[in-house]
Amino acid sequence: MAHRGCSLALIFIIMWLLIKAKIDECRRGDVTVKPSRAILLGSTVNISCTLKPRQGCLNDSRHNKLILYKFDRRINFHHGHSLSSQITGLPLGTTLFVCKLACINSDEIKICGAEILVGVAPEQPQNLSCIQKGEQGTVACTWVRGRDTHLYTEYTLQLSGPKNLTWQKQCKDHYCDYLDFGINLTPESPESNFTAKVTAVNSLGSSSSFPSTFTFLDIVRPLPPWDIRINFKKASVSRCTLHWRDEGLVLLNRLRYRPNNSRLWNMVNVTKAKGRHDLLDLKPFTEYEFQISSKLHLCKGSWSDWSESLRAQTPEEEPTGMLDVWYMKRHIDYSRQQISLFWKNLSISEARGKIHHYEVTLQELTGGKAVTQNITGHTSWSTVIPRTGSWTVAVSAANSKGSSLPTRINITNLCGAGLLAPHQVSANSEGKDSIRVIWQPPRKAPSAVQEYVVEWRELHPTGDTQVPLNWLRSPPYNVSALISENVKPYICYEIHVYALSGYQGGCSSTLGNSKHEAPRSGPHINAITEEKGSVLISWNSIPVQEQMGCLLQYRIYWKERDSNSQPQFCEIPYRVSQNSHPINSLQPRVTYVLWMTALTAAGESSQGNEREICLQGEYTAALGQAPDRLAHS
């Protein structure tokens, strides 16, 4: 009780202070506005300022100077006890006018002021619509207000229903375009009509919307379905059921689902689903997103919002498709050879699950029995077998549900049939990451070709067998292929084209790169020796990262020491295994300086190290053993 008394006292004090402030503000005079302080845009107003008795200047009332300000700008003045001014062209919104008194030798004194509100009458509210979210929700309506009135505007929303029932709600914000009645419509009479109307009122006029008539089924929007879950009977993707919960009156559902990596939805409409539906077209081992929406009536009302997403992965299924298998042969000695098998991963749609291992079976055909069976988690496998006999290999991929059909290939001499060798094989750059390989069919047996295989790997002078192998297959009617998988610029690739026909094969090869530059350095001469009147030049290969593409040739330069003449040179076609070359045109007892360069299709490298030599007939001067002189580009 004491608390309530304090609150009332506080309110009284605040009201008294406000009244006193108003009295103090206009203690010396009054400002009147006609016809009103709230006017229609374009209207004219008269503003009058009048001093109260004995509130003018003390010496002589004739010295009273009344000044009218619009905000901070002086717009009129008059000597005497009153001032009147006609104002036009006021903008939308609020404009402040202040009347002040100026006496001789004193500051201006504020007399009184007035705010003039310029606005428009409210436009007719448009697009009135009402909705009840969920069967237990409340009725709320929205509308389009129209242009801003710039005046205090009150909106009244009225709802009329059966049995002369009426509900009403108001908001006193001129930005108001939403009101909630706080009442719940029930489904007891789903076809009963309700009518809503909104009215906007301000000091310049009023306007009402067209009435909106609806039924329970028209405006009730169901809540989104919840508790969504999915069941795979016997862990099979073909026996999938989606379950969810809905409000009791829901009649129609729509489902949408998509793989996580897709932007397109699959849509399904179902009637009287009662919270479950079977999906028959899902892919195995795929992450899906599921959403559901609900509706109370086939023709009336609106769909609910989409439910929260359910994300689930479908079960695995047995792999489909077959592995793409390729192989290499390498002779070990007169009786043994190494077989290296390679295969590509199945696509996601073919694997239909996580591949746990690969099953490899190697069989000697004449003996008719399985020689080697192996399980590996890698995509390659090697073994050593005799060089005699006919061999076949089968490779399949396995996941938790089973294995793919085996891919069978016959181990044969891929280059053994010269009549099947493609000819005029060339490789041309086609962008920085692609190479176009072109060939012509075998001259003597083009119709025998069943398929071509294009194989490529990085060229390594050491013949490293651990360099990754790449390949693609091409039908017999194609005579070109674009290779782009694992192709890098400035790297030289050894490219083979195989023509296969049953147990036979023929091959041709070339070198190619997707992008090239002149090599960054020349070969390093490591030794110069005299052999039977000629000089043998030996060098180290240029590091692969400095070759900048496929080398075409080497050049060996020489000239007499301290000579200003142009050097002589010889060109040597590039071969991977070559690291020495003889020169027989040097004169005895003359000291020569030698160096080397390398060339790609883009140009010549800078020179490598320089070496000196002087032929002495049977004796070669040791100049060639002196420390190298660094070459200058």
Side-chain angles (χ1 to χ4, degrees), residues 328 330 338 340 342 380 382 457 460 463-469:
M328 291 178 60
R330 185 173 66 87
Q338 178 179 289
S340 297
F342 307 90
S380 62
S382 296
R457 65 192 303 178
H460 277 254
D464 187 2
T465 58
Q466 302 301 315
V467 177
L469 184 70

Side-chain angles (χ1 to χ4, degrees), residues 146-190:
R147 63 174 177 174
D148 191 357
T149 65
H150 296 274
L151 299 175
Y152 169 80
T153 303
E154 183 175 276
Y155 290 86
T156 301
L157 181 64
Q158 184 174 338
L159 179 65
S160 303
K163 302 177 183 178
N164 295 324
L165 291 175
T166 301
W167 298 268
Q168 190 169 288
K169 247 330 188 29
Q170 288 182 330
C171 65
K172 300 181 179 181
D173 177 3
H174 65 280
Y175 293 111
C176 179
D177 56 9
Y178 170 88
L179 275 173
D180 191 328
F181 281 110
I183 61 169
N184 169 256
L185 300 188
T186 63
E188 296 169 357
S189 301

Side-chain angles (χ1 to χ4, degrees), residues 36 38-39 151-152 201-205:
S36 170
I39 62 171
L151 299 175
Y152 169 80
V201 179
N202 66 15
S203 59
L204 299 179

Side-chain angles (χ1 to χ4, degrees), residues 18 56 65 83 126 130 270 292 304 364 422 438 474 492 525 543 568 583:
L18 290 174
K65 182 180 180 181
L83 174 149
Q126 302 288 328
C130 300
V270 292
I292 309 172
S304 73
E364 205 278 312
I438 303 172
S474 182
C492 187
I525 301 174
Q568 301 179 62
I583 298 177

